[in-house]
Amino acid sequence: MASGNIRLFDVRKSPNYCSRLSLVVFVAFSLLAIWIFLPSSSTFPVENPNLLYQENDSLGHRVNNGSLGNTQIQSQDVPDDDKRTVKKGSEDAGEQTKVDSAKTLETDLEEKISEESTPGKTSSEKTSDKSDMTSEFDNETEDGQMNNQHKSNESREKTNMGMSNTDGGQKDGEQTLADEESDLNEKFNSSKGKDSDIDDSAEKLNTDNSLDDVQQDNKKVNQNSERVQQDQDNNSEQPAANNNLGIQERTQESNNQSENLAQTTASDGTWSTQVVESQNEKLSQQDSKEQNDYTWKVCNTTAGPDYIPCLDNVYVVRRLPSTMHFEHRERHCPEDAPTCLVPLPAGYRKPIQWPKSRDKIWFHNVPHTELAVVKGHQNWVKVTGEYLTFPGGGTQFIQGALHYIDMIQNANPAIAWGKRSRVILDVGCGVASFGGYLFERDVLTMSFAPKDVHEAQVQFALERGIPAILGVMGTKRLPFPGGVFDVIHCARCRVPWHIEGGKLLLELNRVLRPGGYFLWSATPIYRRDQEDIGIWKEMSKLTMAMCWDLVMIKKDKLNKVAIAMYRKPTSNECYEKRPQNEPPLCDNFDDPNSAWNVTLQACMHKVPVDMSKRGSNWPEKWPIRLEKPPYWLNELGVYGKPGQEDFTADYEHWKDIVSQTYMNGIGVSWSSIRNIMDMRAVYGGFAAALKDLKVWVMNVIPIESPDTLPIIYERGLFGMHHDWCESFNTYPRSYDLLHADNLFSSLKKRCNLMPVFAEVDRILRPEGILIVRDNAATIAEIESIAKSLQWDVRFTDSKDNEGLLSVQKTFWRPLDVETITSAIA
């Protein structure tokens, strides 16, 4: 810049200069008028082709507005899941391009005039300055082109994954686009080198209007440059799957059915407004994220890495009036749900994958040895170097669970594992080897045990990839509907079934399906000491009064034990013929399906005999029952259609979503997924759609949702009721994947999302996946919370106020600590 006492707003100029300036301005505006009135059908270079090409529509499709012509990609060679349509450029965008290009031409002419009229420089000095500037500019542009072209090539490769070029014209179009991108980057880089020259020209023009125009143009160029760089950086970080996903899912035709992301194909041009709306929504979401300030701390509790808020409330447990009925093992949630994060065990690492995990797990993931000492001789668990190994034994099947399982069916073929008997409840499960080996017989077992002296038994089960929850036969009903389990199993489960009028056995009667079996393997069946004889007599008396039929007692010579098999009646005839009403029948208003926080009652519910009612007939054999609507589903469905039609539509919907979206592009490595929870399951359609994978799904029905849990059991799946404003009865790091379909938006009406998400973090394993489907505002909020936890966003998108988010938990833990006084022993 020239030195000296030059004032910015000095208006003194020679007449020749003013005349020349007037001429140039006249010519510039003439060119501008010609440019504007050119035919609109012509194709023009776009202001920012890189930005336009890489802009996403609201469902992750790449949009090309760089041409006014039709640029729809041919799709006959493209797989159905990856078909896309490239949108036609906007007429308005083309007109704006003309105006911007004309303004650029005008600015260049003005700069040239300014340079020629600069006082104090000879012609040779001007030439030398121009040569130096050009040399420096060329070097900068060359480097910039190489870097930017590398980025744009990477972005273009990601965008074109799964798309086939069907003619040479499209290839030429892509080459033209690359040239335009290169020119654009050159123009942006040159604009940075010309900043000082523009300032000089502004001083020499010495008019307020010229100075303002130059500054505005300079600001616009810098903003566009920053936007291109930001888009390139974002695209380089985005998984390739985002570029070829095409998350447009099949629409449901029912007006009453809840809105879901629908599978459609966009080719009608109506998506032009979606780009703008998507940009505005992203800016709005970004502002919302910046306003939120989430502060996380690590929980300091006696339980440490195994902290379970509703089961480790030491403050309440110490003040219980009695623990006679295992009240200290029941749920006692803190008044304020914790918002801190449970620490990781020292040396924790990614769990071993199924099926190897059934036989061994990393010791440091569940670093407890007491059970190996107490039960090692019964082949429960052993410490083997850096592993905990599981030989497959148990107290009643030391020689292995598989022999024990086959012995049961050989003794009673009506059991029919994996056909008639599909959903099993294992009471007092130990390390759940019984349920683990039943997978080989196509049986799904819900194992449960209390958090008691058998240290971490349920945690061992979950780490092995076997379904299990923490629960106790105490003063409350189990969190399951009535009449849903095909078989209930108890092998030395340490439950006093015969006391207090058989209250605990009557609870099993409530959840056992009419015609289902109770398998009891315990010492009173085969030992002859005084205590065992007394228990056997009491159990015989109780089961007879309950009208259970003792089918057989089978001795297992290999394990030197015996098992008694009881069957629940399928009619009320026996109840009506009993000489005494003991145990009593429940009142007619007592709902057997009511299970959340309900006090146990020592009574029996009548068996349904109306052929249109659930429980009057046995379900279809597996796997037919998975897909066929239950015979008794006659009422109006959750989504407004007749029940059976609603069931079928929901299943088809989830099959489409899983196959077309979840399996191909939201950042989930399904080979590493074993333990899954559907946090709001409805009919269990999501779990049913995963039937061909080696996974199991805990289907949760929130207590404020329609009670569809019996339908889930009827189709051969399992689940439980839960209130998501409280912690779940499981150990930390239990699940590989959590699925939440329209859950969080409803929860916000009842409780704060911070403790809910702290619970999500607690039960999800590091590197586990959370998939959320909800409205756009909730998706933005959940994404913001996840980012504050240093989680990785694998996929996020929204359309028509419907959003989809996939995030992955990391190993990150905060440094600050929060002491939970209610959990300090």
Side-chain angles (χ1 to χ4, degrees), residues 397 423-439 443-450 457-462 464-472 478-480 485 487-490 696 698 713 718-720 728-731 735:
F397 41 91
V423 186
I424 312 301
L425 180 66
D426 189 15
V427 182
C429 60
V431 295
S433 290
F434 179 70
Y437 281 88
L438 273 172
F439 276 114
V443 173
L444 196 58
T445 307
M446 173 78 78
S447 301
F448 83 96
Q457 55 186 331
V458 167
Q459 192 174 17
F460 285 139
L462 289 163
R464 297 173 68 190
I466 302 171
I469 62 168
L470 287 161
V472 64
L478 297 172
F480 314 121
F485 289 104
V487 174
I488 297 177
H489 174 256
C490 163
W696 61 269
M698 178 66 72
Y713 277 92
F718 62 22
M720 59 185 291
F728 193 79
N729 271 19
T730 192
Y731 281 93
Y735 288 89

Side-chain angles (χ1 to χ4, degrees), residues 381-597:
V381 58
K382 298 178 182 293
V383 179
T384 309
E386 62 180 347
Y387 301 104
L388 289 167
T389 57
F390 301 86
T395 303
Q396 296 298 99
F397 41 91
I398 296 175
Q399 303 305 320
L402 206 54
H403 163 80
Y404 179 78
I405 290 167
D406 291 339
M407 178 270 296
I408 292 172
Q409 178 159 311
N410 292 335
N412 184 8
I415 291 287
W417 296 126
K419 298 294 183 182
R420 182 184 188 274
S421 300
R422 162 65 181 176
V423 186
I424 312 301
L425 180 66
D426 189 15
V427 182
C429 60
V431 295
S433 290
F434 179 70
Y437 281 88
L438 273 172
F439 276 114
E440 295 190 13
R441 300 296 181 261
D442 221 0
V443 173
L444 196 58
T445 307
M446 173 78 78
S447 301
F448 83 96
K451 187 179 183 182
D452 62 2
V453 293
H454 281 173
E455 185 184 38
Q457 55 186 331
V458 167
Q459 192 174 17
F460 285 139
L462 289 163
E463 186 72 15
R464 297 173 68 190
I466 302 171
I469 62 168
L470 287 161
V472 64
M473 303 290 296
T475 66
K476 306 290 185 181
R477 284 182 175 178
L478 297 172
F480 314 121
V484 292
F485 289 104
D486 303 332
V487 174
I488 297 177
H489 174 256
C490 163
R492 293 281 288 276
C493 53
R494 303 172 63 191
V495 178
W497 301 117
H498 60 287
I499 66 172
E500 297 184 338
K503 182 182 293 187
L504 301 181
L505 194 62
L506 291 171
E507 173 61 4
L508 293 191
N509 184 76
R510 181 185 70 85
V511 299
L512 182 62
R513 190 181 299 279
Y517 289 93
F518 174 59
L519 309 180
W520 186 40
S521 179
T523 55
I525 302 171
Y526 55 89
R527 287 184 181 173
R528 307 312 301 169
D529 59 75
Q530 195 64 32
E531 182 181 6
D532 286 325
I533 292 174
I535 293 175
W536 174 252
K537 288 182 178 179
E538 291 297 321
M539 274 291 287
S540 298
K541 180 180 178 181
L542 175 61
T543 54
M544 187 176 296
M546 293 171 57
C547 296
W548 281 12
D549 179 26
L550 178 58
V551 177
M552 68 175 62
I553 295 176
K554 173 64 178 178
K555 293 183 179 180
D556 181 358
K557 295 181 180 179
L558 180 62
N559 290 301
K560 298 180 180 180
V561 298
I563 183 169
M565 304 184 191
Y566 298 91
R567 186 170 184 261
K568 181 178 176 178
T570 57
S571 72
N572 297 312
E573 183 179 357
C574 175
Y575 297 152
E576 296 168 353
K577 292 182 177 180
R578 290 186 303 166
Q580 294 182 343
N581 189 29
E582 289 292 337
L585 294 176
C586 299
D587 295 332
N588 292 332
F589 60 82
D590 191 305
D591 184 2
N593 296 321
S594 179
W596 182 253
N597 202 27

Side-chain angles (χ1 to χ4, degrees), residues 638-704:
V638 173
Y639 301 120
K641 296 180 180 180
Q644 297 199 10
E645 183 180 344
D646 217 32
F647 175 96
T648 301
D650 178 79
Y651 184 38
E652 293 299 323
H653 167 72
W654 284 111
K655 284 197 296 184
D656 284 350
I657 289 177
V658 168
S659 63
Q660 297 181 21
T661 302
Y662 288 3
M663 293 295 167
N664 302 297
I666 61 171
V668 180
S669 175
W670 289 96
S671 61
S672 63
I673 302 297
R674 172 62 180 174
N675 303 357
I676 300 177
M677 177 185 287
D678 192 354
M679 301 174 71
R680 181 180 173 272
V682 190
Y683 295 127
F686 169 63
L690 299 175
K691 63 182 177 64
D692 295 327
L693 300 183
K694 299 297 183 182
V695 300
W696 61 269
V697 180
M698 178 66 72
N699 295 282
V700 178
I701 300 298
I703 60 171
E704 72 274 11

